[in-house]
Amino acid sequence: MIWAYPDVKLTLLLAGIFGLLYFIYLTRYWSINKRLEVEKRRLFTKMVIRTTYFVLFLIAFAGPSIGTSTKEIKEEGKDIFIAVDLSQSMNATDIGPSRLQRVKFELKELTKSFPSDRIGLIIFSSEAFLQCPLTFDQSVLQLYIDGLNTGLVPNFGTDLNSPLRIALDRFEKDESQEVKSKSVILISDGENFGDELETIGSQLNDLGVKVFSLGIGTEAGSTIPRGNGVVIDPQTGEPARSVLERTPLQQIAAETNGQYFEISDQVQEIGELINSLERLEGGVTGSRIVEASANKYFYFLLAALALSLIDMILPIKTIKL
């Protein structure tokens, strides 16, 4: 029960039931002891003690909040860029319904875990684009996530450097005076036709930006749907097959003191990714003093325990010899 928002009808119903049952108990207790010719004064004293500490227990369990107290709330903030690979290989179906559709579902759940942090969205393939700047607006971010598809970017291979450079550039140009933790979630199947991962990793690390890589795909891989057919490898003339390549993603995570996670047919580590981001210490962006209700259950509980101990240690005689 929360005293600030009591359910009056339920409270009255439970109180009525308790009162009726306790009245029946007292009536039987009095009747039985009267037949045993117990001294009325002692019997009444015992009933008062037991009734008192039982009522005190009930009050303590209800969590009474009496009066108010002040409390300082520190507001912490994180800046998180989510970089999503939109190359054709993200349409592969080794993870149903497809890699990209699974990523979109997981991103919606991930962003809901950070309602008080700024989150931005970067899309990339052979080139990268800032789809949504850092924002607190979760509804706008959800709209951009819903609209993700492989037709939004040119598809001539995958370059993991390009989204990281956009994130680095945005973090460097951030004019906010607030000290915040900065991180990038890099989501890809790991195919990388770019270079200089060590260079960009070193620059991000110098700025204190951690990269958390999320590999999406399986070792067996699958063909890549396109229209009514599949993507054909121009060199072999056979259907192209995309597999998860962990090495580039693990490399950039290690370069920036981040971590590598994976979604495949064997592991589902989106929960571990969320936990790692939550453990990051966000910079204190401000503080405010709020009034909080002061829960005084302890005093009622202490009094009830004291009376119950007295009742056990110093029992009152109920039969007159």
Side-chain angles (χ1 to χ4, degrees):
M1 173 179 146
I2 301 175
W3 282 37
Y5 306 98
D7 188 333
V8 178
K9 291 183 179 180
L10 179 61
T11 303
L12 291 177
L13 176 62
L14 294 176
I17 294 174
F18 165 74
L20 177 61
L21 294 176
Y22 199 71
F23 177 76
I24 294 172
Y25 162 75
L26 290 178
T27 303
R28 286 179 55 82
Y29 182 75
W30 183 272
S31 176
I32 291 171
N33 284 276
K34 188 176 180 181
R35 293 175 186 175
L36 295 174
E37 298 182 357
V38 175
E39 185 177 339
K40 291 183 179 180
R41 181 179 58 82
R42 294 180 176 177
L43 177 59
F44 180 76
T45 302
K46 193 172 185 68
M47 290 173 63
V48 169
I49 291 176
R50 289 186 175 179
T51 301
T52 301
Y53 69 69
F54 190 73
V55 170
L56 289 172
F57 274 129
L58 291 178
I59 295 174
F61 292 151
S65 297
I66 304 171
T68 58
S69 61
T70 58
K71 184 178 181 181
E72 182 181 8
I73 304 295
K74 292 184 178 180
E75 298 175 345
E76 296 185 353
K78 302 184 184 76
D79 282 348
I80 305 171
F81 268 117
I82 301 173
V84 183
D85 184 354
L86 293 183
S87 59
Q88 288 292 329
S89 59
M90 291 296 286
N91 289 326
T93 56
D94 51 349
I95 296 178
S98 73
R99 295 175 182 175
L100 182 55
Q101 291 302 318
R102 179 61 180 273
V103 165
K104 290 166 67 172
F105 172 79
E106 299 292 357
L107 281 183
K108 289 182 179 180
E109 298 304 310
L110 184 147
T111 54
K112 290 177 183 176
S113 301
F114 302 96
S116 60
D117 300 312
R118 292 199 306 174
I119 302 177
L121 183 64
I122 299 171
I123 57 176
F124 70 97
S125 181
S126 54
E127 299 179 47
F129 303 90
L130 181 65
Q131 186 77 342
C132 178
L134 291 168
T135 179
F136 290 106
D137 195 332
Q138 290 268 333
S139 59
V140 170
L141 194 61
Q142 295 288 342
L143 286 175
Y144 280 113
I145 292 173
D146 284 333
L148 291 177
N149 65 82
T150 55
L152 292 176
V153 293
N155 270 279
F156 303 104
T158 305
D159 181 6
L160 297 179
N161 292 278
S162 53
L164 297 176
R165 291 203 173 279
I166 288 181
L168 177 64
D169 181 65
R170 289 288 170 165
F171 283 138
E172 286 178 334
K173 292 181 179 179
D174 185 9
E175 297 179 353
S176 173
Q177 299 301 314
E178 300 168 350
V179 179
K180 296 185 177 182
S181 94
K182 300 176 175 65
S183 55
V184 178
I185 303 172
L186 181 63
I187 304 174
S188 175
D189 52 28
E191 294 180 353
N192 180 37
F193 297 95
D195 52 14
E196 300 180 352
L197 268 182
E198 291 184 5
T199 302
I200 187 64
S202 176
Q203 292 173 340
L204 287 166
N205 190 47
D206 290 342
L207 194 62
V209 180
K210 296 181 183 293
V211 177
F212 296 89
S213 301
L214 180 64
I216 179 82
T218 63
E219 292 182 352
S222 74
T223 56
I224 305 169
R226 176 187 286 174
N228 294 326
V230 296
V231 174
I232 301 298
D233 187 334
Q235 295 181 349
T236 64
E238 299 293 329
R241 195 169 190 87
S242 173
V243 298
L244 172 63
E245 297 184 11
R246 301 183 179 91
T247 303
L249 298 173
Q250 292 172 333
Q251 177 187 345
I252 191 61
E255 287 282 342
T256 59
N257 295 313
Q259 290 179 264
Y260 170 78
F261 303 94
E262 192 171 298
I263 296 177
S264 67
D265 54 348
Q266 296 181 339
V267 292
Q268 312 292 329
E269 296 181 335
I270 192 69
E272 286 82 349
L273 170 59
I274 292 173
N275 291 336
S276 294
L277 289 169
E278 289 177 340
R279 285 195 294 268
L280 290 177
E281 293 186 5
V284 178
T285 61
S287 63
R288 54 195 173 96
I289 304 297
V290 298
E291 285 191 355
S293 58
N295 197 319
K296 298 295 193 297
Y297 80 93
F298 179 76
Y299 301 104
F300 295 94
L301 183 60
L302 187 63
L305 288 173
L307 286 175
S308 62
L309 286 174
I310 291 173
D311 187 29
M312 288 187 294
I313 297 172
L314 301 173
I316 300 173
K317 290 184 178 180
T318 56
I319 299 178
K320 184 178 179 180
L321 298 176

